[in-house]
Amino acid sequence: MSTRVEMASEKEASRGLEWQVTVPGGSSVKLETDSVPTVAGWRMRRLASALVSKVLDFASKVRKIAADDPRKVVHCLKVGLALALVSVFYYTRPLYDGVGGAAMWAVMTVVVVFEFTVGGSLYKGLNRATATLSAGSVAFGIHWLAIKSGRTADHIILGASVFLLSSAATFSKFIPAVKARFDYGVTIFILTFNLVAVSSYRVEKLLALAQWRFCTITIGFCICLTVCVVIRPVWAGEELHRLVMRNMEKLADSLEESVAEYLEEEEEGGVDCNQKLGQKSQGYRCVLNSKSSEDSLANLARWEPSHGCFSFKHPWRRYLEVGAAMRQCAYCIESLDSCINSENQPPDSVKKHLAKVYAKVATESSKVLKELASSFRSMRKPSSIDYLVEDMKNTADELQNALGSLPQEATSLIIETLPLITAASLLIEVSARVEGVVHAVKEITALPCFKPADGEELKARSTVA
């Protein structure tokens, strides 16, 4: 008996290899080999692995954000609490009927008004309430005028008023003063006016509808403000204070480290030049990029009620002056950083001639900035700032004298020494601009909320005794 064994043609990759055995009588039996991983299954496992990796990476980022600033977690819980409280007006039938069925406006108010800082919530809440009241009043007055004008002219009056007031309100947003303080309020004014004016053509009892909506918006704003102020409040004024303080520290570290790395004689192996440049320039770049944050926090700080040591007289304008003075200094450090990383480098002998005084100027300037940051951190008047400024001036004069006593080798190689001379000039300019930061900070530390320095306080007590 003969047995013929032949291999079947290879089928789709998703199926394994098959063997077909033909036996006498015409019957055949198919034998499958051990199952091999299919293409679809391999892709599914790869997709699942990638999905799990992305989920874990996202969870790691979320954990890092929460660990870096736990106030963000508290803010999320505060928003949830405010929405839970305001939803009572929607779920409870007596309260829902009491506000004329407009309880959803209270929920919407909490969603759009609740901000991270108290100043942000006040800014949006007051703008929304004022814009709603004024827009509703204007729309109701135009509606009354349209009714008195007769059925023929009422839609013309309403349409013309919508066109003119919406155009005028939109144009007002291009005015810088209005844009900075009332941009959100103007937007709500346009929205509310058009809603009331357009609906007044078809809706009866317009005054009652406007009253209910204004009441629910006020309820939502009050709940939002209460939760924001009572539970772990975040004040924009304090955030502005911390931002300026951190920028001072970054500016001081950036100046000191840039000059220190420039004066290093030994090259660091295995470190990319661009990476080093990014690391040491990070400090002053943060200062240069913080203007929008400072302006935003200052704008919100003006809306906040009495709190902290500044009470109602928060010097947010003076903080902006300090930020502007630090950016002037940061621009100089940016130019200095570009100069010292120039391809044209001076001879080592000339570099060593100025290395000590270079480091001294950078260190003294950095000490001044760190003393100012320490004063902001402790809320005390800087005790030794005048002495540090005097030392900084002396080292700047010393650097200037050192430039005049360069060796003959340096004066003959003017092209090679030009970056070194430019860097020295920029260092002297940095010390001069640090003085500008000192003058701006003294305007703030002179306020009563800053306590006297430790030595001055002991001296005052001994004088009283």
Side-chain angles (χ1 to χ4, degrees), residues 54-69:
K54 288 184 179 295
V55 170
L56 293 177
D57 185 52
F58 177 76
S60 177
K61 292 179 180 179
V62 170
R63 191 182 303 109
K64 185 178 184 303
I65 293 174
D68 290 344
D69 193 354

PDB file of all heavy atoms in Angstrom, residues 54-69:
ATOM      1  N   LYS A  54       2.150  54.339  27.094  1.00  0.00           N
ATOM      2  CA  LYS A  54       1.671  55.724  27.053  1.00  0.00           C
ATOM      3  C   LYS A  54       0.863  56.065  28.297  1.00  0.00           C
ATOM      4  O   LYS A  54       0.960  57.166  28.834  1.00  0.00           O
ATOM      5  CB  LYS A  54       0.828  55.948  25.791  1.00  0.00           C
ATOM      6  CG  LYS A  54       1.641  55.991  24.510  1.00  0.00           C
ATOM      7  CD  LYS A  54       0.771  56.317  23.322  1.00  0.00           C
ATOM      8  CE  LYS A  54       1.606  56.393  22.041  1.00  0.00           C
ATOM      9  NZ  LYS A  54       2.557  57.504  22.067  1.00  0.00           N
ATOM     10  N   VAL A  55       0.045  55.119  28.763  1.00  0.00           N
ATOM     11  CA  VAL A  55      -0.743  55.363  29.977  1.00  0.00           C
ATOM     12  C   VAL A  55       0.168  55.555  31.185  1.00  0.00           C
ATOM     13  O   VAL A  55      -0.024  56.469  32.006  1.00  0.00           O
ATOM     14  CB  VAL A  55      -1.737  54.208  30.206  1.00  0.00           C
ATOM     15  CG1 VAL A  55      -2.386  54.319  31.585  1.00  0.00           C
ATOM     16  CG2 VAL A  55      -2.809  54.204  29.123  1.00  0.00           C
ATOM     17  N   LEU A  56       1.188  54.715  31.297  1.00  0.00           N
ATOM     18  CA  LEU A  56       2.128  54.850  32.413  1.00  0.00           C
ATOM     19  C   LEU A  56       2.917  56.149  32.325  1.00  0.00           C
ATOM     20  O   LEU A  56       3.168  56.809  33.350  1.00  0.00           O
ATOM     21  CB  LEU A  56       3.086  53.655  32.429  1.00  0.00           C
ATOM     22  CG  LEU A  56       2.462  52.292  32.745  1.00  0.00           C
ATOM     23  CD1 LEU A  56       3.506  51.194  32.654  1.00  0.00           C
ATOM     24  CD2 LEU A  56       1.814  52.306  34.135  1.00  0.00           C
ATOM     25  N   ASP A  57       3.300  56.535  31.116  1.00  0.00           N
ATOM     26  CA  ASP A  57       4.021  57.797  30.932  1.00  0.00           C
ATOM     27  C   ASP A  57       3.137  58.986  31.307  1.00  0.00           C
ATOM     28  O   ASP A  57       3.586  59.934  31.958  1.00  0.00           O
ATOM     29  CB  ASP A  57       4.484  57.911  29.479  1.00  0.00           C
ATOM     30  CG  ASP A  57       5.338  59.143  29.254  1.00  0.00           C
ATOM     31  OD1 ASP A  57       6.308  59.351  29.999  1.00  0.00           O
ATOM     32  OD2 ASP A  57       5.031  59.920  28.332  1.00  0.00           O
ATOM     33  N   PHE A  58       1.862  58.939  30.905  1.00  0.00           N
ATOM     34  CA  PHE A  58       0.928  60.006  31.260  1.00  0.00           C
ATOM     35  C   PHE A  58       0.711  60.073  32.763  1.00  0.00           C
ATOM     36  O   PHE A  58       0.670  61.153  33.357  1.00  0.00           O
ATOM     37  CB  PHE A  58      -0.407  59.775  30.535  1.00  0.00           C
ATOM     38  CG  PHE A  58      -1.463  60.781  30.880  1.00  0.00           C
ATOM     39  CD1 PHE A  58      -1.417  62.066  30.355  1.00  0.00           C
ATOM     40  CD2 PHE A  58      -2.506  60.446  31.737  1.00  0.00           C
ATOM     41  CE1 PHE A  58      -2.388  62.997  30.670  1.00  0.00           C
ATOM     42  CE2 PHE A  58      -3.485  61.378  32.064  1.00  0.00           C
ATOM     43  CZ  PHE A  58      -3.434  62.650  31.521  1.00  0.00           C
ATOM     44  N   ALA A  59       0.584  58.900  33.403  1.00  0.00           N
ATOM     45  CA  ALA A  59       0.409  58.875  34.856  1.00  0.00           C
ATOM     46  C   ALA A  59       1.631  59.440  35.568  1.00  0.00           C
ATOM     47  O   ALA A  59       1.514  60.142  36.582  1.00  0.00           O
ATOM     48  CB  ALA A  59       0.141  57.442  35.317  1.00  0.00           C
ATOM     49  N   SER A  60       2.813  59.160  35.035  1.00  0.00           N
ATOM     50  CA  SER A  60       4.036  59.709  35.624  1.00  0.00           C
ATOM     51  C   SER A  60       4.063  61.226  35.521  1.00  0.00           C
ATOM     52  O   SER A  60       4.453  61.921  36.467  1.00  0.00           O
ATOM     53  CB  SER A  60       5.258  59.099  34.935  1.00  0.00           C
ATOM     54  OG  SER A  60       6.449  59.657  35.434  1.00  0.00           O
ATOM     55  N   LYS A  61       3.636  61.765  34.378  1.00  0.00           N
ATOM     56  CA  LYS A  61       3.590  63.218  34.206  1.00  0.00           C
ATOM     57  C   LYS A  61       2.580  63.852  35.152  1.00  0.00           C
ATOM     58  O   LYS A  61       2.833  64.908  35.739  1.00  0.00           O
ATOM     59  CB  LYS A  61       3.257  63.569  32.760  1.00  0.00           C
ATOM     60  CG  LYS A  61       4.358  63.211  31.772  1.00  0.00           C
ATOM     61  CD  LYS A  61       3.956  63.572  30.349  1.00  0.00           C
ATOM     62  CE  LYS A  61       5.053  63.220  29.360  1.00  0.00           C
ATOM     63  NZ  LYS A  61       4.664  63.538  27.950  1.00  0.00           N
ATOM     64  N   VAL A  62       1.423  63.215  35.298  1.00  0.00           N
ATOM     65  CA  VAL A  62       0.402  63.736  36.206  1.00  0.00           C
ATOM     66  C   VAL A  62       0.908  63.735  37.636  1.00  0.00           C
ATOM     67  O   VAL A  62       0.709  64.698  38.400  1.00  0.00           O
ATOM     68  CB  VAL A  62      -0.894  62.904  36.083  1.00  0.00           C
ATOM     69  CG1 VAL A  62      -1.881  63.272  37.179  1.00  0.00           C
ATOM     70  CG2 VAL A  62      -1.522  63.109  34.709  1.00  0.00           C
ATOM     71  N   ARG A  63       1.574  62.654  38.037  1.00  0.00           N
ATOM     72  CA  ARG A  63       2.128  62.573  39.389  1.00  0.00           C
ATOM     73  C   ARG A  63       3.178  63.651  39.619  1.00  0.00           C
ATOM     74  O   ARG A  63       3.239  64.246  40.695  1.00  0.00           O
ATOM     75  CB  ARG A  63       2.732  61.180  39.602  1.00  0.00           C
ATOM     76  CG  ARG A  63       3.106  60.896  41.063  1.00  0.00           C
ATOM     77  CD  ARG A  63       3.741  59.527  41.220  1.00  0.00           C
ATOM     78  NE  ARG A  63       2.878  58.464  40.718  1.00  0.00           N
ATOM     79  CZ  ARG A  63       3.090  57.773  39.623  1.00  0.00           C
ATOM     80  NH1 ARG A  63       4.169  58.023  38.883  1.00  0.00           N
ATOM     81  NH2 ARG A  63       2.270  56.809  39.260  1.00  0.00           N
ATOM     82  N   LYS A  64       3.980  63.926  38.614  1.00  0.00           N
ATOM     83  CA  LYS A  64       5.019  64.958  38.741  1.00  0.00           C
ATOM     84  C   LYS A  64       4.397  66.343  38.885  1.00  0.00           C
ATOM     85  O   LYS A  64       4.839  67.162  39.696  1.00  0.00           O
ATOM     86  CB  LYS A  64       5.939  64.917  37.528  1.00  0.00           C
ATOM     87  CG  LYS A  64       7.120  65.879  37.627  1.00  0.00           C
ATOM     88  CD  LYS A  64       8.023  65.755  36.419  1.00  0.00           C
ATOM     89  CE  LYS A  64       9.257  66.657  36.565  1.00  0.00           C
ATOM     90  NZ  LYS A  64       8.927  68.065  36.765  1.00  0.00           N
ATOM     91  N   ILE A  65       3.346  66.627  38.091  1.00  0.00           N
ATOM     92  CA  ILE A  65       2.669  67.926  38.195  1.00  0.00           C
ATOM     93  C   ILE A  65       2.072  68.107  39.578  1.00  0.00           C
ATOM     94  O   ILE A  65       2.184  69.176  40.198  1.00  0.00           O
ATOM     95  CB  ILE A  65       1.586  68.043  37.107  1.00  0.00           C
ATOM     96  CG1 ILE A  65       2.227  68.106  35.721  1.00  0.00           C
ATOM     97  CG2 ILE A  65       0.712  69.268  37.340  1.00  0.00           C
ATOM     98  CD1 ILE A  65       1.238  68.073  34.581  1.00  0.00           C
ATOM     99  N   ALA A  66       1.434  67.058  40.091  1.00  0.00           N
ATOM    100  CA  ALA A  66       0.826  67.148  41.420  1.00  0.00           C
ATOM    101  C   ALA A  66       1.875  67.284  42.515  1.00  0.00           C
ATOM    102  O   ALA A  66       1.667  68.005  43.503  1.00  0.00           O
ATOM    103  CB  ALA A  66      -0.044  65.915  41.675  1.00  0.00           C
ATOM    104  N   ALA A  67       3.022  66.614  42.347  1.00  0.00           N
ATOM    105  CA  ALA A  67       4.073  66.701  43.365  1.00  0.00           C
ATOM    106  C   ALA A  67       4.771  68.054  43.338  1.00  0.00           C
ATOM    107  O   ALA A  67       5.147  68.591  44.387  1.00  0.00           O
ATOM    108  CB  ALA A  67       5.089  65.574  43.155  1.00  0.00           C
ATOM    109  N   ASP A  68       4.953  68.620  42.137  1.00  0.00           N
ATOM    110  CA  ASP A  68       5.625  69.914  42.037  1.00  0.00           C
ATOM    111  C   ASP A  68       4.799  71.036  42.649  1.00  0.00           C
ATOM    112  O   ASP A  68       5.350  71.959  43.245  1.00  0.00           O
ATOM    113  CB  ASP A  68       5.928  70.228  40.562  1.00  0.00           C
ATOM    114  CG  ASP A  68       7.002  69.325  39.993  1.00  0.00           C
ATOM    115  OD1 ASP A  68       7.719  68.685  40.801  1.00  0.00           O
ATOM    116  OD2 ASP A  68       7.113  69.234  38.757  1.00  0.00           O
ATOM    117  N   ASP A  69       3.500  71.003  42.473  1.00  0.00           N
ATOM    118  CA  ASP A  69       2.630  72.056  43.013  1.00  0.00           C
ATOM    119  C   ASP A  69       1.320  71.433  43.496  1.00  0.00           C
ATOM    120  O   ASP A  69       0.357  71.312  42.735  1.00  0.00           O
ATOM    121  CB  ASP A  69       2.348  73.108  41.940  1.00  0.00           C
ATOM    122  CG  ASP A  69       1.725  74.377  42.522  1.00  0.00           C
ATOM    123  OD1 ASP A  69       1.410  74.380  43.732  1.00  0.00           O
ATOM    124  OD2 ASP A  69       1.567  75.360  41.782  1.00  0.00           O
TER     125      ASP A  69
END
